[in-house]
Amino acid sequence: MNDIPAYEPPKVWTWNKESGGRFASINRPIAGPTHDKELPVGRHPLQLYSLATPNGVKVTVMLEELLAAGHKAAEYDAWLIKIDGNQFGSGFVAVNPNSKIPALMDRSGKEPIRVFESGSILVYLAEKFGAFLPTDVKSRAETFSWLFWQMGAAPYLGGGFGHFYAYAPTKIEYAIDRFAMEVKRQLDVLDRRLADNEYLAGDVYTIADMAVWPWYGSLAKGLLYGGGEFLSVQDYKNVQRWTDAIAARPAVKRGRMVNRTWGGPSSQLHERHDASDFETKTQDKIGEPVAS
């Protein structure tokens, strides 16, 4: 660490070069659209614009769980928004001024309603359909506590550990150690909670599980940032049990496939407009090249 040149921050920071790393070409310190591009609109009331990152998977899992529970009005169109500049199109920025996936338009009422931020979308859908959010005060409070725990914790996992361990142009020991320590603490928090509870809010599966699982379930199986062995994720036995139980749910299996552009062709459903698409429109069925 002593060989790293000391960095003296300037009095006023200016954007005069790319930050480096995998996503440097799309990082910028300003908001707003970079180009005009309208969003497509399908036939269902719910229009989702997303990508199968952990935040995107939260919402597609929720929608598939709602449909599995018999909420027919939860039918949706899922449009692919690649994180390659498409998130800065004028249509997408109008739905989400923060230019992050996922974003939802609900066209079921007199006026369209936009909903952005994955946690906000989960709450919106749970309240709209009266599902996966307990009504008793104690369980509801527990659900919200774990939902917002995920909102606050995940930046340490993704923007912290994931960035410096997997994406940064140089490996910085201090940064990796700092965020590895915090992620392991978070895993321990989850493991202790799940030692005495089947799900995060207690004995009922809720939007809290749907929010936490795509991040920490993927991490527990070594699928996130290639950091499983480094973090000894196998040691968190209760997280492993919970992860496996959720992964086995049919709606979760479907939700993981939607807007996915990596992995085996049979696991990729770039767009979803009908329940039958899972059988007929995956990449292995339609023969399109597998996106990188």
Side-chain angles (χ1 to χ4, degrees):
M1 291 176 62
N2 293 333
D3 294 333
I4 300 175
Y7 170 64
E8 183 67 30
K11 187 173 183 179
V12 177
W13 184 85
T14 57
W15 184 34
N16 54 19
K17 63 181 182 299
E18 286 191 351
S19 58
R22 179 174 173 180
F23 299 105
S25 63
I26 59 171
N27 290 336
R28 59 194 184 116
I30 54 176
T34 60
H35 59 283
D36 291 328
K37 185 176 182 180
E38 293 301 310
L39 291 174
V41 178
R43 63 188 177 91
H44 299 300
L46 297 177
Q47 299 292 302
L48 178 67
Y49 304 95
S50 193
L51 180 69
T53 64
N55 284 335
V57 168
K58 296 176 194 175
V59 178
T60 50
V61 163
M62 175 61 164
L63 288 165
E64 291 297 327
E65 290 282 14
L66 287 168
L67 291 169
H71 297 279
K72 296 181 180 179
E75 269 295 351
Y76 67 104
D77 292 280
W79 303 93
L80 178 63
I81 301 292
K82 293 184 179 180
I83 306 176
D84 58 2
N86 277 288
Q87 73 272 36
F88 300 124
S90 57
F92 188 77
V93 174
V95 181
N96 186 351
N98 197 37
S99 295
K100 304 289 185 181
I101 62 91
L104 180 75
M105 286 294 293
D106 183 355
R107 298 178 175 273
S108 61
K110 292 182 178 180
E111 294 185 6
I113 297 174
R114 76 176 187 185
V115 194
F116 60 91
E117 291 298 318
S118 58
S120 177
I121 296 172
L122 290 179
V123 173
Y124 178 82
L125 292 172
E127 292 184 335
K128 179 181 177 72
F129 293 101
F132 302 110
L133 180 59
T135 55
D136 68 281
V137 175
K138 183 178 180 181
S139 297
R140 186 180 179 88
E142 196 72 28
T143 299
F144 280 131
S145 291
W146 286 106
L147 174 64
F148 285 99
W149 176 86
Q150 189 276 317
M151 301 296 130
Y156 288 95
L157 174 53
F161 175 76
H163 176 77
F164 287 105
Y165 183 77
Y167 300 142
T170 57
K171 303 295 184 187
I172 302 172
E173 183 180 1
Y174 172 80
I176 293 173
D177 284 351
R178 167 69 179 86
F179 289 109
M181 181 183 298
E182 173 60 15
V183 170
K184 286 184 70 67
R185 189 193 69 81
Q186 292 174 3
L187 285 168
D188 194 43
V189 169
L190 286 175
D191 205 60
R192 290 168 184 266
R193 173 61 181 172
L194 293 167
D196 301 314
N197 295 275
E198 184 176 2
Y199 298 107
L200 290 173
D203 59 359
V204 179
Y205 176 62
T206 70
I207 56 174
D209 300 288
M210 296 180 202
V212 176
W213 180 83
W215 283 100
Y216 294 88
S218 295
L219 183 68
K221 294 303 175 183
L223 303 176
L224 209 57
Y225 311 123
E229 182 179 6
F230 182 75
L231 296 171
S232 301
V233 293
Q234 71 280 353
D235 293 344
Y236 304 95
K237 303 299 184 184
N238 301 308
V239 175
Q240 293 289 338
R241 185 270 307 162
W242 168 83
T243 294
D244 291 340
I246 294 177
R249 296 176 68 91
V252 172
K253 292 179 181 180
R254 292 192 297 273
R256 290 183 67 185
M257 297 170 63
V258 180
N259 298 143
R260 184 180 175 90
T261 62
W262 55 88
S266 63
S267 73
Q268 298 185 34
L269 182 63
H270 289 190
E271 293 184 0
R272 188 265 191 219
H273 304 290
D274 188 85
S276 64
D277 291 347
F278 292 101
E279 302 299 327
T280 62
K281 299 291 180 63
T282 52
Q283 288 302 102
D284 61 319
K285 300 289 197 315
I286 63 178
E288 291 183 2
V290 179
S292 60

